[in-house]
Amino acid sequence: MITYNTNIINIPVKKSVMLAADSLKRDIQNTCLKSDEKGSTISFSEDPCIEKECFVISYGSDELKISASDDLGFIYGIYYISKVFLGVHEFWFWNEQKFIQRTGYEIPEGYRYASKPYAVRFRGWFINDEVLFDGWKKDKDDNRPWEMAFETLLRLGGNMTIPGTDFNAHIYKKLASDYGLWITHHHAEPLGARMFARAYPELEASYDKYPELFENLWREAIDDQKDCKVIWNLGFRGQGDRPFWADDPAYDSDEKRGALMSRLIRRQYDLVKEMDSNAVCCSNLYGETMELYQKGLLDIPEDVIFIWADNGFGKMVSRRQGRHNPRVYALPEKGAEGMHGIYYHASFYDLQAAAQMTMLPNSPEFVVKELMDVYDKKADDFWIINCSNVKPHAYMLDLIARMWKEPFGNIDSEGDADISLYVNAHLSDYCREYYGEEEGALASIMELYRKWSTYCPFYGPNEDDHAGEQFTNHGTRVLVTGLITNYDKKNPGSTPAATEWLWFSDKETLREQLLDYREIIEPAQRGYEEYLVKCRQVLGSLSEYTRQVLEDTLIWQIEYHYYSYLGALHAIRAIDSIISTRQPADTDYLDAFYEAGLSAKAFKNGYDKMRSHEHGAFEGFFDNDCEADIRQSYYVMKGLMSFARFHGDGPHFYKWQRMFQDGAGGNKVHLILRVKKHLTDEELYNLMEQARK
């Protein structure tokens, strides 16, 4: 048996394996009662005949032995024991798995298990837009969130990471390497080098002017990572996640852009190969780079892994940038030579319609079908998955990890029935692992997960055009900003369209955009209200523990959407009250003020609900929600309240107060200016709310 007294011996003297062994010791302490029960020994044995990254678990003579030929083989073997014998699942930390301690866990006599190679060669996470990590510390330790992310990735069989965005990638690459992971880089930071604009803020970021300074940064990065396992990312983009010609207008044609990018990729390649002739290199065909490649304007060395990217919504086509959305197919032709892989988003941030705080809005069946196409095109050398802040995306990350582990047998990308069976089998396993098997509960919880993508509304004509939480939060803020900054007071109905919303509604006036937005928001708000009713029905049948876990993993995300759509709907009504007329005298600023208050209240309720789901280790986890930022939506709507009050109640700010406050003089008698101090916007709104109930 594995008991509290089990000893782990002969641990290979490699930091990555020792860290995994420490995790196993912790798992034993979490799952085993203190007792006098003697435990079997867990030991390690190096066997060069076992394939790299594989392991054999065998039991005999009261010893459970992990055999492997390399560090990752040992690490995967350690986490296999933790899962199979102790019941510690991959997302135990993020899903707050509760452990019921037992005296011991039986190991069958003669037990033997041999793992198989993974279907994808390099597989891992890009911890990108990790804003929640930055605002939260577990056990008052900056490293702890990252340690748990790397541990979870290894439990899933991952072997590679981009360890954060910008500064974080430089801070945490050593920690990721200590855990045994390969390091690779953000497509905006070739070779993992510092951005030119950071290193030389006083200089223009032009390679033509400062080639030696750019190359010094590349050499510095190569030297800095010489002790890590690295997949070197080659490329050339601007100072940030944008085309380099945004910083250097001299490159005003595709031919010029492709020629420079090809030359610099070759130069970076040569620098890396000077250091290590066996170095592994990759290059991202992402955004504008994809378009140059498809036009035949990029020359990339043949042993470089080509990384094809989805559009942020799980579809293997080029991403939308602003209003530009060519949807270029983003996979190699069948039978294409060379090595190929993908950059795939479980989370995305686009200031338009993506999902970063909540799960991918497209269905798991859709994701499986896309990834089956990836396999079909032999793009299985490299999968880097954008996992963002991990916790909200655990379900989809678990599904994708299952897909990088094993081939699919008779399932093909056209076999919809087989894909549904695959997804349902995974969902059943996932829900059983994290929510248990309470009588009647498992099927109900699975159904709530199945409903997720069906309630995410379509915002466009394509199958992947399902809206994430940014559609409501950024959309509302863009439209309110468009109103306040471009308001045509002489002719409110002619207020011009919000420029940043033209990608969604290519209309001339703000009101036309507003009506297009309402067509999506209004039914979606009713849908999420219905979804929450279904959730509450399921919650009522669950034990206290299972109810808490479900609320903290899935239902808070549904609440985030519900309150965001409710806030967006009231914002639409508020704006419409101001711009639905052509005569300024007919503008209903009072109604706009009230509807803006209802919107602010909805967004604030959504924020408060989200924060109420922080428990234990996750206290403070949501504090830095700064990208979708439902809290900022609340502040913006408070601003719209003030805007409406300035126009409808200024400059004396007492007319509306007389209408709703007892003792303020009444709405018809005006003997003096005022008899009570001015109310704040919030106090006035509260009186209006009471009067309208």
Side-chain angles (χ1 to χ4, degrees), residues 88 152 170 206 249 256 301 305 323 345-346 349 368 398-399 404 408 464 477 501 509 514 595 609 632:
V88 179
T152 304
H170 300 277
S206 168
K256 291 179 183 178
I305 302 171
R323 298 171 64 187
H345 292 81
Y349 174 60
V368 170
D398 195 77
L399 174 64
W404 74 34
F408 297 88
D464 51 296
R477 300 198 293 262
W501 209 234
T509 68
L514 203 67
E595 287 290 342
K609 275 285 188 181
Q632 179 63 12

Side-chain angles (χ1 to χ4, degrees), residues 42-45 55-57 64-68 73-74 77-78 81:
I42 298 174
S43 68
F44 296 80
S45 175
F55 62 87
V56 173
I57 306 289
L64 188 63
K65 184 164 65 176
I66 306 171
S67 300
F74 286 124
I78 287 168
I81 289 173

Side-chain angles (χ1 to χ4, degrees), residues 244-259:
F244 71 83
W245 50 88
D247 304 306
D248 195 343
Y251 289 87
D252 56 3
S253 72
D254 286 344
E255 289 73 18
K256 291 179 183 178
R257 296 162 182 173

Side-chain angles (χ1 to χ4, degrees), residues 480 483-484 487 489 570-571 573-579 584 587-597 636-651 653 655-656 681 684-685 688:
V480 171
L483 170 68
I484 292 176
Y487 180 44
K489 189 175 181 180
H570 285 298
R573 292 172 179 169
I575 298 171
D576 198 40
S577 293
I578 297 173
I579 63 173
T587 302
D588 193 345
Y589 291 111
L590 180 61
D591 188 65
F593 176 86
Y594 183 64
E595 287 290 342
V636 167
M637 295 315 301
K638 296 283 283 185
L640 183 57
M641 291 173 71
S642 294
F643 176 84
R645 194 173 179 189
F646 271 110
H647 283 278
D649 198 29
F653 301 100
K655 178 174 57 177
W656 292 353
D681 289 352
L684 178 59
Y685 166 78
M688 292 177 67

Side-chain angles (χ1 to χ4, degrees), residues 495-512:
T495 299
T499 303
E500 286 197 29
W501 209 234
L502 291 173
W503 74 268
F504 166 70
S505 177
D506 191 6
K507 300 294 174 60
E508 292 184 0
T509 68
L510 189 67
R511 185 153 197 270
E512 290 175 299

Side-chain angles (χ1 to χ4, degrees), residues 555-568:
I555 291 177
W556 78 264
Q557 301 190 50
I558 300 168
E559 291 171 338
Y560 198 113
H561 273 297
Y562 167 72
Y563 286 108
S564 294
Y565 277 93
L566 183 61

